[in-house]
Amino acid sequence: MPVPTPETQPHFDAAARGELKIQRCLDCGSPFFYPRPCCPFCASDALEWITASGRATLYSYTINHRPAPGFEQEAPYAIAVVQLAEGPRMMANIVGIDNTPDNLVLDMDLQVTFEQRGDVTIPQFMPARTEAG
């Protein structure tokens, strides 16, 4: 499980409240993820935390059949890169769907959900709900 650091603690605190927080540079305006002390685009340290919409699309994935310790009951599971509606990409698991190539369609609409894992809450993504269901 991830261990929060001073840079990532606000992200994990927000996740525990059911919010997806990412950083944005106050100088160049670029949102980014993973949390860090300076902007990866312009190197400014003038940053703010913003609440992301929680909407994303599936950018890439791999299906893991050999689970890491603590995930034995969940295999196979998808380790995915999702593209947030705000622009940044982040790694997460895909939940709420059988993790098969037929179900994991690139560019599919996703929405964030949160899962308690030990002492931390982590963002996961699931297929977005449609108007019909």
Side-chain angles (χ1 to χ4, degrees):
M1 287 303 104
V3 176
T5 65
E7 287 83 17
T8 64
Q9 191 67 57
H11 170 76
F12 289 109
D13 290 345
R17 297 188 305 271
E19 299 175 312
L20 181 60
K21 293 276 191 177
I22 61 174
Q23 289 176 292
R24 179 172 55 203
C25 178
L26 292 170
D27 286 333
C28 73
S30 298
F32 58 91
F33 187 84
Y34 62 88
R36 57 196 101 177
C38 64
C39 175
F41 303 102
C42 73
S44 172
D45 64 354
L47 309 174
E48 67 177 343
W49 286 93
I50 61 170
T51 302
S53 66
R55 292 178 289 120
T57 56
L58 183 59
Y59 180 78
S60 182
Y61 69 90
T62 188
I63 298 174
N64 189 7
H65 293 272
R66 295 179 58 167
F71 290 83
E72 292 86 0
Q73 302 303 314
E74 298 177 35
Y77 55 88
I79 302 169
V81 177
V82 301
Q83 176 111 30
L84 300 177
E86 292 75 15
R89 293 180 187 146
M90 67 183 292
M91 290 186 72
N93 294 113
I94 305 297
V95 297
I97 189 172
D98 287 337
N99 287 181
T100 64
D102 288 339
N103 289 339
L104 297 171
V105 179
L106 296 183
D107 296 324
M108 71 187 287
D109 291 330
L110 302 169
Q111 66 187 41
V112 73
T113 186
F114 297 92
E115 186 175 317
Q116 182 77 33
R117 292 279 184 151
D119 294 336
V120 297
T121 301
I122 56 174
Q124 310 275 38
F125 285 83
M126 60 189 283
R129 293 186 197 108
T130 62
E131 301 263 337

